[in-house]
């Protein structure tokens, strides 16, 4: 018998030890007892980190939508699967039952088929947080098409890059989206992107804001009439456990975004198992994760993990500040939310406002609170614990990544005692290591190092789409036979982990991973710019904000610097999206470089952090003299 639901600390340790000693028995039992397979696997696990090649449940056959939908119909067909809370609180919430979800997913799957989408084809999804978004993911999965969701805040250039990288045949979008008081012309962004994408044959358009948009003949089709004609029965495509389920892009330190490829069987098992344990999920709970499905958190913990458990999962279209700072808590009261999962940046933003926005609402339904995406600072942790959880809801600080597919380090509520700012203990099946700079594992407690994983887990990404070599170099080359996370961490005296932040050139701004290179490339497109370098600096709401050092081609050319700053942010918005805009832009005469010409970001970081006293040794620089002028001109 598997220990599917851990209830106390001793049980956690027992299960954890079993997962270390007998990982295949551990995962094999969970997979067999709690999921529907058309055929069981030949082997639970085959792997070789040197290639790297990782296969879980190889030879097994399944369709993930049978696990997320069909198997629930007999026992909970009338239960709400997706609870849609619109941007505007005056618009009615929608309760989509499992029966209705089944019909809508099957219909949508038939539309995809009728439009020529087949197993293995890539479908790009660029939608706001409306039910069609979750439904389109599941419809792709139903027929074995690989979905590639692009967060609907990315610009047309960013969208085009992602469509081209995966040669998507179709884009699914909407006529526009609501965001607080604003509407956004999503279809216009898609038009601009698709003009540069030859692989796209069809653009399916859902109606959301009833705007008057241009439809291109032959290419663009309204979704609803196609759904109306489609049958509500679509036999699931039977997939191999290792067939790709989706691609999701994440920023790297350098170069273009990486299309992380997740496969079907292991991803399903791990997201469902972690959802159940980390949220202590019970049948009548109403679970709400505030992330966007455009990110991994939404894929794993709005769609697949909750639905595989037959849960009610809330999809929220709006923003935490509209119509006012009490919106989250209003929704918690309205739908009697039991588990609430959000990002530290949202907590920090709301904690700055009056407590009246919280105290107006009855939050007594809450049982478990969660955070994800970046380190949570002590102050925010206590604010969340005191004012939202009223000190009776354990906070699960969940550490994981787009690449890991599911949560890796987290307390298990009512079992693991929490500790502010600590993600605490590895979940069952997760074997961590801290490494030093010489490639040696640091054993023992009260140490810090670079966080690695020593053994495969079922939901790990298997490759980078179209670039397995880059996958190997990024994750499996820093340390032999280890997956390197890119994060630093410390382990305290009892073995609890605290994530200290990225150790590479990825900067997490408001919980979004941003690579410095694509932002610098965008800035350098400005005709007046010669060179630029971006670093992060601490920001009390966003966690980190971006600080740009920019060298102009002609110094003192008499241009108004504030205008230039605006233009630079405009270019960034066009190339990436507003999330990557710089908070500070310093025009400078030079950038500190090593003798091999590499920018010394360490020094720029210190200056941006206002830590000029301890810049370290600058004598080895090619141009040590620029450091003084950068400090002089500091903003
Ligand atoms: C950071 C989000 C501290 C970390 C699921 C990681 C965290 C990156 C935490 C992945 C946490 C995520 N505490 N840092 N609880 N959770 N991170 O791919 O740096 O968007 O490497 O996945 O976010 O971000 P991603």
């Amino acid at each position: 018998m598997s220990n599917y639901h851990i209830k106390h600390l001793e049980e956690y340790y027992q299960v954890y030890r079993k997962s270390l000693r007998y990982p295949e028995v551990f995962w094999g039992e969970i997979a067999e007892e709690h999921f529907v397979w058309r055929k069981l696997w030949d082997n639970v696990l085959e792997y070789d980190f040197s290639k790297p090649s990782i296969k879980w449940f190889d030879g097994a056959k399944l369709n993930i939508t049978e696990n997320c939908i069909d198997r629930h119909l007999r026992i909970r067909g009338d239960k709400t699967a997706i609870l849609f809370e619109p941007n505007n609180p005056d618009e009615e919430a929608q309760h989509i039952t499992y029966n209705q979800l089944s019909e809508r997913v099957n219909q949508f799957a038939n539309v995809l088929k009728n439009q020529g989408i087949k197993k293995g084809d890539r479908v790009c999804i660029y939608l706001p947080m409306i039910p069609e978004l979750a439904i389109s993911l599941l419809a792709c999965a139903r027929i074995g098409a690989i979905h590639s969701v692009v967060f609907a805040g990315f610009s047309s250039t960013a969208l085009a890059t992602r469509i081209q990288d995966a040669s998507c045949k179709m884009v699914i979008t909407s006529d526009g989206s609501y965001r607080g008081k604003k509407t956004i012309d999503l279809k216009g962004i898609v038009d601009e992107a698709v003009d540069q994408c030859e692989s796209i044959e069809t653009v399916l358009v859902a109606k959301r804001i009833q705007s008057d948009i241009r439809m291109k003949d032959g290419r663009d089709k309204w979704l609803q009439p196609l759904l109306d004609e489609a049958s509500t029965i679509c036999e699931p495509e039977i997939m191999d456990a290792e067939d790709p389920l989706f691609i999701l892009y994440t920023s790297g330190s350098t170069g273009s975004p990486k299309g992380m490829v997740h496969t079907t069987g292991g991803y399903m098992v791990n997201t469902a198992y972690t959802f159940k344990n980390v949220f202590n999920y019970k049948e009548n709970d109403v679970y709400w994760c505030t992330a966007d499905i455009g990110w991994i958190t939404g894929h794993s913990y709005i769609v697949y993990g909750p639905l595989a458990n037959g849960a009610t999962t809330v999809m929220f279209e709006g923003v935490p500040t509209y119509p006012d700072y009490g919106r989250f808590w209003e929704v918690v009261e309205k739908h009697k939310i039991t588990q609430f999962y959000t990002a530290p940046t949202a907590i920090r933003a709301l904690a700055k406002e009056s407590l009246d926005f919280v105290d107006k609402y009855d939050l007594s339904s809450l049982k478990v609170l969660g955070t994800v995406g970046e380190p949570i600072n002590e102050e925010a942790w206590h604010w969340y614990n005191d004012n939202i959880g009223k000190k009776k809801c354990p906070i699960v600080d969940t550490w994981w990544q787009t690449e890991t597919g599911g949560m890796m380090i987290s307390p298990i509520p009512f079992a693991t005692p929490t500790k502010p700012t600590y993600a605490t203990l590895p979940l069952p099946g997760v074997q961590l290591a801290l490494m030093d700079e010489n490639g040696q594992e640091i054993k023992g407690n009260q140490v810090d190092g670079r966080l690695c994983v020593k053994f495969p887990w079922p939901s790990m990404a298997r490759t980078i789409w179209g670039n397995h070599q880059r996958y190997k170099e990024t994750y499996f080359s820093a340390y032999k036979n280890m997956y390197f996370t890119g994060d630093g961490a410390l382990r305290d005296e009892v073995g609890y982990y605290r994530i200290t932040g990225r150790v590479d050139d990825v900067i997490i701004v408001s919980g979004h991973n941003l690579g410095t290179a694509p932002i610098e490339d965008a800035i350098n497109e400005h005709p007046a710019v010669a060179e630029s370098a971006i670093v992060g600096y601490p920001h009390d709401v966003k966690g980190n904000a971006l600080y740009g050092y920019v060298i102009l081609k002609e110094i003192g050319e008499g241009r108004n610097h504030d205008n230039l700053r605006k233009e630079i942010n405009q270019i960034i918005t066009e190339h990436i999206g507003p999330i990557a805009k710089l908070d500070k832009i310093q025009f400078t005469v030079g950038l500190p470089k090593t003798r091999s010409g590499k920018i010394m970001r360490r020094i720029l970081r210190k200056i941006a952090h206002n830590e000029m006293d301890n810049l370290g040794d600058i004598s080895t620089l090619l141009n040590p003299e620029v450091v003084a002028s950068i400090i002089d001109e500091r903003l």
Side-chain angles (χ1 to χ4, degrees):
M1 263 284 286
S2 72
N3 300 75
Y4 191 64
H5 186 193
I6 296 168
K7 296 185 193 65
H8 50 84
L9 191 59
E10 222 169 288
E11 190 183 5
Y12 159 79
Y13 280 113
Q14 204 185 348
V15 172
Y16 186 72
R17 276 194 298 271
K18 174 174 169 183
S19 78
L20 287 195
R21 245 177 257 154
Y22 312 107
E24 296 189 33
V25 175
F26 171 75
W27 287 115
E29 284 176 356
I30 290 176
E32 194 168 343
E33 285 169 29
H34 298 279
F35 299 89
V36 179
W37 304 85
R38 292 289 184 115
K39 173 183 173 287
L40 288 186
W41 42 89
D42 304 320
N43 289 309
V44 174
L45 171 66
E46 280 167 75
Y47 82 105
D48 178 351
F49 273 180
S50 70
K51 287 198 168 74
S53 152
I54 300 116
K55 290 182 181 163
W56 282 92
F57 311 114
D58 202 28
K61 305 265 183 202
L62 76 156
N63 186 292
I64 197 168
T65 66
E66 286 197 307
N67 284 275
C68 289
I69 304 171
D70 302 65
R71 65 159 156 165
H72 304 310
L73 300 180
R74 201 172 46 82
I75 40 177
R76 47 176 87 88
D78 292 327
K79 175 177 173 176
T80 301
I82 294 178
L83 203 176
F84 172 64
E85 172 65 27
N87 178 62
N88 181 347
D90 298 332
E91 188 183 327
E92 220 172 300
Q94 289 176 36
H95 294 254
I96 302 169
T97 65
Y98 274 93
N99 281 328
Q100 291 164 336
L101 182 65
S102 170
E103 286 193 358
R104 290 179 68 173
V105 167
N106 278 274
Q107 253 178 339
F108 205 130
N110 281 324
V111 169
L112 296 178
K113 275 189 173 171
N114 296 342
Q115 297 300 317
I117 300 295
K118 292 186 290 300
K119 176 178 176 183
D121 286 345
R122 276 80 59 206
V123 173
C124 175
I125 302 173
Y126 187 74
L127 277 171
M129 282 286 284
I130 55 176
E132 286 79 358
L133 173 53
I135 291 168
S136 64
L137 268 67
L138 295 161
C140 287
R142 187 79 175 171
I143 65 166
I146 302 170
H147 57 74
S148 168
V149 182
V150 177
F151 171 61
F154 276 118
S155 70
S156 59
T157 313
L159 174 61
T161 311
R162 287 159 177 77
I163 293 173
Q164 287 160 355
D165 185 72
S167 343
C168 296
K169 271 172 86 171
M170 175 188 271
V171 184
I172 304 171
T173 189
S174 66
D175 57 348
S177 65
Y178 294 118
R179 224 184 129 70
K181 282 191 219 128
K182 287 190 283 192
T183 56
I184 298 164
D185 173 22
L186 287 193
K187 176 62 167 50
I189 297 172
V190 168
D191 287 341
E192 266 178 42
V194 170
D195 280 347
Q196 311 161 44
C197 300
E198 280 177 10
S199 59
I200 295 294
E201 294 167 4
T202 314
V203 176
L204 286 186
V205 188
K207 258 202 178 125
R208 176 58 184 143
I209 67 167
Q210 322 296 332
S211 65
D212 190 15
I213 55 167
R214 181 178 71 95
M215 296 290 277
K216 187 169 168 185
D217 258 3
R219 185 195 73 183
D220 300 351
K221 294 171 186 160
W222 289 107
L223 178 62
Q224 195 56 49
L226 298 176
L227 287 171
D228 292 341
E229 285 167 11
S231 151
T232 55
I233 297 167
C234 174
E235 284 305 315
E237 184 78 34
I238 301 309
M239 307 294 284
D240 286 333
E242 281 298 339
D243 278 337
L245 174 64
F246 65 86
I247 302 170
L248 185 61
Y249 287 85
T250 189
S251 310
S253 310
T254 55
S256 51
K258 298 169 289 192
M260 305 313 304
V261 178
H262 282 285
T263 59
T264 309
Y267 175 82
M268 169 183 79
V269 170
N270 205 12
T271 53
Y273 175 75
T274 49
F275 173 77
K276 172 81 181 163
N277 280 287
V278 171
F279 292 114
N280 188 42
Y281 168 73
K282 305 251 171 70
E283 183 66 34
N284 294 317
D285 288 346
V286 181
Y287 159 86
W288 180 19
C289 165
T290 70
D292 193 292
I293 293 176
W295 311 111
I296 192 68
T297 305
H299 281 60
S300 302
Y301 299 107
I302 295 178
V303 182
Y304 291 111
L307 295 178
N309 282 283
T312 298
T313 175
V314 174
M315 267 184 86
F316 175 50
E317 182 185 27
V319 294
T321 51
Y322 176 80
D324 63 34
Y325 299 106
R327 185 68 192 276
F328 274 179
W329 323 124
E330 185 234 339
V331 176
V332 168
E333 175 183 288
K334 178 173 169 193
H335 297 303
K336 301 199 169 45
I337 302 294
T338 44
Q339 291 92 348
F340 178 74
Y341 190 31
T342 196
T345 186
I347 298 168
R348 287 190 297 261
L350 298 176
K352 282 176 73 135
E353 306 302 328
S354 159
L355 270 179
D356 294 347
F357 289 113
V358 179
D359 293 340
K360 276 211 289 214
Y361 300 103
D362 175 7
L363 306 182
S364 61
S365 56
L366 288 169
K367 295 194 308 188
V368 177
L369 301 177
T371 84
V372 61
E374 56 184 315
I376 179 161
N377 51 307
E378 189 130 11
E379 219 184 330
W381 195 98
H382 284 294
W383 186 87
Y384 200 30
N385 188 43
D386 296 353
N387 300 302
I388 307 304
K390 319 287 184 199
K391 297 197 171 130
K392 65 173 181 53
C393 302
I395 295 180
V396 292
D397 178 353
T398 63
W399 175 85
W400 57 295
Q401 309 178 294
T402 304
E403 296 86 335
T404 68
M407 297 161 176
M408 301 290 278
I409 311 180
S410 171
I412 292 179
F414 313 108
T416 322
T418 58
K419 176 175 175 182
T421 76
Y422 282 74
T424 75
L425 297 170
L427 290 169
V430 176
Q431 302 190 26
L432 302 173
L434 291 179
M435 305 299 290
D436 70 17
E437 281 175 16
N438 306 316
Q440 296 301 313
E441 183 171 351
I442 310 166
K443 303 264 183 168
N445 288 342
Q446 284 191 298
V447 292
D448 67 85
R450 298 182 168 213
L451 184 65
C452 290
V453 191
K454 294 198 254 198
F455 194 83
W457 63 100
S459 63
M460 65 192 296
R462 304 296 195 257
T463 190
I464 292 175
W465 184 262
N467 199 343
H468 195 66
Q469 186 58 26
R470 188 173 178 202
Y471 178 67
K472 178 175 175 170
E473 280 162 16
T474 312
Y475 303 105
F476 294 90
S477 301
Y479 305 100
K480 197 164 182 259
N481 281 326
M482 300 250 178
Y483 165 84
F484 174 47
T485 65
D487 282 326
L490 60 83
R491 191 162 51 216
D492 78 358
E493 61 288 352
V494 297
Y496 274 17
Y497 287 85
R498 176 187 183 165
I499 309 303
T500 47
R502 301 291 309 184
V503 295
D504 56 11
D505 290 330
V506 171
I507 305 171
I508 305 193
V509 179
S510 300
H512 304 315
N513 290 7
L514 298 172
T516 49
I519 305 176
E520 289 161 5
D521 291 347
I523 298 173
N524 298 348
E525 298 263 312
H526 192 289
V529 171
E531 204 182 354
S532 60
I534 305 295
V535 297
Y537 72 98
H539 185 282
D540 61 358
V541 171
K542 300 180 184 184
N544 294 295
L546 298 178
Y547 195 117
Y549 296 90
V550 176
I551 306 179
L552 297 177
K553 284 182 183 152
E554 288 171 49
I555 303 159
E557 60 183 10
R559 296 191 55 174
N560 177 329
H561 276 185
D562 275 339
N563 277 346
L564 251 184
R565 287 193 175 95
K566 278 197 199 119
E567 287 169 23
I568 287 172
N569 270 329
Q570 184 55 32
I571 286 204
I572 295 173
T573 305
E574 281 160 19
H575 278 70
I576 301 160
I579 52 176
K581 283 205 282 197
L582 309 183
D583 275 53
K584 290 187 181 173
I585 299 176
Q586 173 174 343
F587 296 105
T588 172
V589 290
L591 294 169
K593 298 224 169 134
T594 62
R595 283 178 204 275
S596 58
K598 242 186 109 185
I599 298 171
M600 281 285 268
R601 285 173 204 277
R602 182 177 57 77
I603 293 174
L604 295 175
R605 230 175 266 140
K606 293 260 181 209
I607 298 174
H609 288 208
N610 206 0
E611 290 171 3
M612 266 80 80
D613 304 342
N614 90 55
L615 287 181
D617 183 11
I618 61 168
S619 65
T620 56
L621 290 178
L622 185 68
N623 50 353
E625 71 287 350
V626 303
V627 175
S629 47
I630 295 175
I631 292 174
D632 276 353
E633 301 155 349
R634 190 181 172 278
L635 297 174

